[in-house]
Amino acid sequence: MTYRGRAALQKVWDARAAANFMGGGAGSGLIVFAVAGDARGFAFDVLLVAGLALIGGGLLSVWHELGRPARALNVFRHAKTSWMSREAIAAALLVPIAFAAIAAVPGAAMLAAFAAAAFAVCQARMLQAARAIPAWREPLSAPLLVVTAFVEGGGLFFALSPWLRVGDERLLVFFGSFVLLRVIVFLVYRRALANVVPQAALVALDRAARVLNASTVVSLVAVAIVAYGLTPEAWTFAAASIAGLAATAGGAYLKYALVLRAAFRQAPALPHLPARGRR
């Protein structure tokens, strides 16, 4: 549906809500990569605790944004209808599962990865459920946020690799494929919005696209340098770290722009207004 009515930037969610999407996506993606990268021992523990801290920090930001924080527990009451409730439940389940994985309970690591992925999906669908905002309700917004979560998490995974000595070339190439997929999904998403959002929203998304493209180029060049052995072995982890930091920064700005700069509420134009009484 094409809208031609007046539009106004939403004021309900502020930077604290954007922080929830940044922290939640990066944290859940980091846990998935920690499991997929087969991290062990101290490195695995650090990655899972860091992932939980990012998710918790994001949720704490939203809690602080609430007008009545004491009623936050009510969020668990509407799991049948609310993606926000499902997000909170997924987070509540993830915490004990992640600590079970840290305690080396058999099978807990894989369950933690699935719970983290479920949290990322719930968070993405929560944004898409805001039907009054065209840039959010577009069906491709959910896949875009999920892929971005994995990219951000993978980026942090490789950003920490020089210190934790985790990851390998195979996983780095897999990460690079997600970086490329994120750009493709964003381009299709941006094209789908061409005629359904105000011009100001398109300007914000195009600005985000420039940041995203730059971060993608830096990440993919660094991945290629490692994959093709174009750097001395001593610099391999540094190149992987650069790839991760660039990809994470691009994803964080994309979410900031999507939540705070492109989120215009839009009402349909009414060509014929109803008249009272006789004309």
Side-chain angles (χ1 to χ4, degrees), residues 29-39 44 47-48 101 108-114 157 171:
L30 181 59
I31 292 173
V32 170
F33 264 82
V35 176
D38 199 25
F44 181 75
L47 291 171
L48 258 65
M110 189 60 66
L111 284 176
F114 279 114
F157 178 88
L171 187 63

Side-chain angles (χ1 to χ4, degrees), residues 25-176:
S28 57
L30 181 59
I31 292 173
V32 170
F33 264 82
V35 176
D38 199 25
R40 302 293 179 88
F42 175 75
F44 181 75
D45 297 347
V46 169
L47 291 171
L48 258 65
V49 170
L52 291 176
L54 286 167
I55 292 172
L59 293 174
L60 185 62
S61 297
V62 172
W63 177 80
H64 185 263
E65 186 185 27
L66 294 175
R68 302 174 69 178
R71 301 180 62 184
L73 291 178
N74 290 334
V75 72
F76 292 100
R77 299 175 55 187
H78 307 287
K80 290 184 178 180
T81 58
S82 171
W83 283 104
M84 184 177 290
S85 294
R86 294 163 191 165
E87 176 202 35
I89 292 171
L93 292 175
L94 174 59
V95 172
I97 295 173
F99 279 108
I102 291 173
V105 175
M110 189 60 66
L111 284 176
F114 279 114
F119 176 86
V121 171
C122 290
Q123 192 173 72
R125 292 298 302 275
M126 179 177 66
L127 192 75
Q128 186 191 13
R131 299 298 181 185
I133 300 176
W136 294 358
R137 69 165 180 257
E138 162 60 38
L140 283 171
S141 68
L144 176 61
L145 287 178
V146 172
V147 173
T148 299
F150 292 149
V151 171
E152 287 177 318
L156 291 178
F157 178 88
F158 284 106
L160 294 171
S161 62
W163 294 272
L164 298 178
R165 297 291 167 174
V166 293
D168 53 25
E169 292 182 7
R170 175 190 59 82
L171 187 63
L172 184 62
V173 172
F174 181 70
F175 165 71

